[in-house]
């Protein structure tokens, strides 16, 4: 087993990438979401490594200090996907089993739709296919209410001020509750990293570059979507609409009594869903 952190150059960007598992194991790419880093996978990757898999968990665009463009447009979904594909190439991974949580799930869905030759299987966690989410947001008042926080995130300057005020109290509150399963020491790491100059703005630029004018096609690769019924951000309407956006083999795994932070709160169940999906694709 080789566990570590490496730096990987993609053009003029440098990504921090956490690795685990045997170096010759089948590659699994894990993409984190907001407001976390690759550390969010730390309870999942050992379980995948035990199964003989090689995991690669990058600190994504804006989260790696060496990969933090200033312009909002750099964080538009097509560019996020292209950068991820280029990172796979730099890691010498032509194709991988891809797992994404939260915003990482958005990238994973679009990767599977636009670059199906690079994605052997997909396990999307918490956030549904972008089209399913958009349709639910437009038609379901409950989902619109759940998504209300995004309006703050769109406000450049104000969002940063609100989230970082009082020792980043509101940023901490997103993650730090007894029910979340996110370790206090991990919350400290996330807050510290996002408190660095420009870091929180870069992370929020993922939201500010959002566009419903970039349609994501249905996904044809074998796919599992993992959703938890106590997710405050994603309701059942959006979750169940995912099935209509997958033309390949599809499984919906619902976790009862689990919050949005599935990788930390339910790592065993998530790892099992990933392993089952990978096994089904072999």
């Amino acid at each position: 087993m080789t566990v570590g952190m490496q730096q990987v150059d993609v053009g003029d960007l440098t990504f921090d990438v956490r690795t685990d598992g045997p170096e010759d194991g089948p590659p699994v790419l894990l993409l984190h979401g907001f407001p976390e880093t690759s550390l969010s996978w730390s309870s999942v990757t050992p379980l995948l490594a035990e199964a003989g898999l090689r995991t690669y968990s990058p600190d994504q665009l804006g989260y790696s200090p060496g990969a933090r463009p200033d312009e909002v447009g750099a964080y538009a979904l097509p560019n996020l996907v292209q950068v991820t594909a280029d990172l796979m190439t730099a890691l010498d991974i032509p194709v991988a089993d891809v797992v994404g949580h939260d915003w990482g799930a958005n990238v994973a869905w679009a990767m599977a739709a636009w670059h199906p030759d690079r994605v052997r299987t997909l396990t999307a966690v918490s956030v549904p296919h972008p089209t399913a989410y958009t349709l639910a947001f437009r038609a379901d008042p409950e989902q619109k209410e759940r998504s209300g926080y995004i309006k703050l995130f769109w406000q450049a300057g104000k969002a940063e001020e609100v989230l970082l005020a009082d020792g980043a109290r509101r940023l901490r509150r997103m993650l730090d509750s007894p029910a979340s399963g996110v370790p206090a020491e991990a919350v400290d790491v996330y807050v510290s990293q996002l408190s660095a100059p420009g870091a929180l703005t870069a992370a929020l630029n993922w939201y500010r570059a959002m566009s419903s004018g970039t349609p994501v096609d249905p996904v044809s690769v074998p796919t599992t979507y993992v959703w938890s019924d106590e997710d405050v951000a994603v309701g059942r309407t959006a979750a169940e609409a995912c099935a209509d956006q997958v033309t390949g083999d599809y499984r919906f795994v619902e976790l009862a009594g689990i919050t949005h932070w599935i990788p930390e709160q339910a790592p065993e169940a998530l790892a099992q869903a990933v392993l089952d999906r990978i096994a089904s694709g072999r």
Side-chain angles (χ1 to χ4, degrees):
M1 297 284 183
T2 304
V3 182
M5 180 77 84
Q6 63 185 97
Q7 292 194 315
V8 181
D9 293 332
V10 178
D12 60 354
L13 304 172
T14 301
F15 286 89
D16 299 324
V17 181
R18 223 175 275 265
T19 57
D20 199 352
E23 292 187 18
D24 60 350
V28 181
L29 181 69
L30 298 114
L31 305 173
H32 71 82
F34 178 86
E36 301 183 299
T37 69
S38 59
L39 181 64
S40 64
W41 299 109
S42 59
S43 294
V44 176
T45 53
L47 303 174
L48 302 182
E50 286 174 14
L53 301 169
R54 176 68 166 174
T55 62
Y56 299 86
S57 312
D59 288 347
Q60 295 218 69
L61 193 73
Y63 294 83
S64 287
R68 191 169 287 160
D70 291 331
E71 61 275 13
V72 173
Y75 300 90
L77 189 58
N79 193 58
L80 294 172
V81 170
Q82 187 58 56
V83 166
T84 303
D86 292 344
L87 176 60
M88 288 176 63
T89 300
L91 288 164
D92 195 24
I93 304 173
V95 60
D97 296 287
V98 178
V99 183
H101 175 247
D102 188 79
W103 260 109
N106 255 353
V107 175
W109 282 112
M111 274 279 294
W114 298 335
H115 299 281
D117 57 316
R118 307 299 301 270
V119 181
R120 207 180 64 83
T121 68
L122 167 65
T123 303
V125 188
S126 298
V127 169
H129 186 286
T131 301
Y133 178 86
T134 299
L135 291 174
F137 179 82
R138 290 173 177 170
D140 180 21
E142 181 192 351
Q143 184 57 56
K144 187 165 288 191
E145 184 177 341
R146 287 173 182 266
S147 303
Y149 66 93
I150 295 176
K151 292 179 181 178
L152 170 63
F153 291 178
W154 284 340
Q155 298 179 55
K158 181 178 180 181
E160 287 88 335
E161 181 181 342
V162 167
L163 291 173
L164 293 177
D166 302 324
R169 179 173 59 87
R170 290 176 181 84
L171 185 60
R172 286 180 178 278
R173 196 169 62 194
M174 289 178 60
L175 295 156
D176 193 6
S177 72
S180 74
V182 181
E185 57 270 24
V187 176
D188 290 341
V189 170
Y190 302 145
V191 170
S192 175
Q193 293 196 212
L194 288 177
S195 297
L200 181 56
T201 295
L204 291 170
N205 280 344
W206 287 56
Y207 291 91
R208 294 165 186 166
M210 289 170 69
S211 172
S212 59
T214 308
V216 178
D217 303 324
V219 168
S220 61
V221 306
T223 297
T224 294
Y225 173 51
V226 183
W227 176 75
S228 45
D229 65 2
E230 292 191 9
D231 191 319
V232 299
V234 179
R236 184 172 296 278
T237 299
E240 293 185 348
C242 251
D244 295 332
Q245 303 301 324
V246 182
T247 60
D249 181 59
Y250 177 68
R251 297 177 185 177
F252 176 42
V253 175
E254 179 178 336
L255 303 179
I258 303 298
T259 69
H260 179 77
W261 312 108
I262 293 174
E264 293 93 349
Q265 195 178 3
E268 295 87 359
L270 177 54
Q272 192 58 57
V274 173
L275 292 171
D276 289 346
R277 171 46 65 197
I278 290 174
S280 75
R282 295 217 182 281

